[in-house]
Amino acid sequence: MDLDKVIRKVPDFPKPGILFYDVTSIFLEPTAFKYVVDTMLESYKDKQVDGVISIESRGFLLGSCFAYTNKVPLVLARKKGKLPGKTISQSYLLEYGSATLEIHEADLIPGKNWLIIDDLIATGGTLEAVSSMIETVGANVAGIFSIIGLPFLNYKEKIGKYRPKTLIEYNSEEC
Ligand code: AMP
């Protein structure tokens, strides 16, 4: 499967100089969508994953596939101010700005192994923030899955210890 062919690239979005990798184009192609989900499921079939944490918003699409198939809980990491209950939160720097993510505190069960799922790893700041929330409540990071990785932004310095799995990597901000 040549995923590169089905990933839409949008130059200068959301800021000049950023090449935006839009994975929503994968979901338009049933064969590509199936490949991504099947590969994700296969990658963790022998690992102990007690639950999934998916990151707003594109991470939700894959996280729900994993949780539904493996019959494990799905927890949403959402942008600040969206969750109604008591939350834990973590702020972090992005490739293009800063952000805060929140998780319902009661959803994260201590001692369990959580797989984190997102669409793209750039600097790794988002996934480092979610990993930190998981560890703060005494739970474990079982792994990190993302469709795209941008290794030239050195995300492994932040999250390499969680063995992030990606399906395609890009080595510069070029189409
Ligand atoms: P980071 O925390 O720097 O690893 O950024 C990862 C998060 O920001 C992911 O949730 C991505 O959806 C989004 N993101 C960052 N850079 C890009 C990019 N070049 N194209 C698409 N999404 C991006």
Side-chain angles (χ1 to χ4, degrees):
M1 167 60 59
D2 187 355
L3 272 185
D4 177 52
K5 280 200 179 125
V6 291
I7 295 171
R8 181 191 286 132
K9 288 106 185 162
V10 185
D12 299 320
F13 184 86
K15 286 188 175 173
I18 300 290
L19 177 61
F20 193 86
Y21 296 94
D22 179 14
V23 297
T24 63
S25 50
I26 293 174
F27 301 100
L28 296 170
E29 295 283 347
T31 312
F33 183 19
K34 181 168 167 41
Y35 167 79
V36 168
V37 173
D38 288 351
T39 310
M40 173 181 72
L41 296 173
E42 178 68 21
S43 303
Y44 297 96
K45 76 175 177 7
D46 298 324
K47 300 232 163 69
Q48 178 67 38
V49 176
D50 303 315
V52 174
I53 302 190
S54 61
I55 300 174
E56 185 168 357
S57 57
R58 294 174 296 274
F60 293 170
L61 300 165
L62 294 180
S64 64
C65 294
F66 189 101
Y68 177 84
T69 306
N70 288 316
K71 301 186 178 68
V72 294
L74 171 64
V75 170
L76 307 184
R78 299 213 60 187
K79 289 166 188 158
K80 189 177 169 61
K82 301 275 186 186
L83 290 171
K86 185 165 186 278
T87 59
I88 50 172
S89 73
Q90 185 73 48
S91 298
Y92 57 99
L93 293 176
L94 277 173
E95 189 188 0
Y96 43 77
S98 68
T100 301
L101 280 176
E102 296 182 332
I103 295 175
H104 272 143
E105 196 173 347
D107 293 353
L108 269 186
I109 305 158
K112 297 286 183 192
N113 300 309
W114 297 91
L115 175 65
I116 313 173
I117 300 180
D118 202 2
D119 64 328
L120 179 146
I121 314 175
T123 67
T126 306
L127 290 157
E128 185 182 40
V130 174
S131 303
S132 147
M133 287 192 271
I134 291 172
E135 290 175 345
T136 296
V137 302
N140 311 308
V141 179
I144 287 173
F145 178 84
S146 174
I147 301 171
I148 302 174
L150 305 182
F152 67 95
L153 294 172
N154 300 320
Y155 65 78
K156 284 194 179 153
E157 282 173 15
K158 291 195 175 80
I159 55 162
K161 65 177 173 173
Y162 303 119
R163 305 228 189 114
K165 159 100 183 151
T166 57
L167 301 186
I168 184 167
E169 303 205 319
Y170 291 97
N171 284 303
S172 67
E173 297 266 30
E174 283 169 22
C175 291

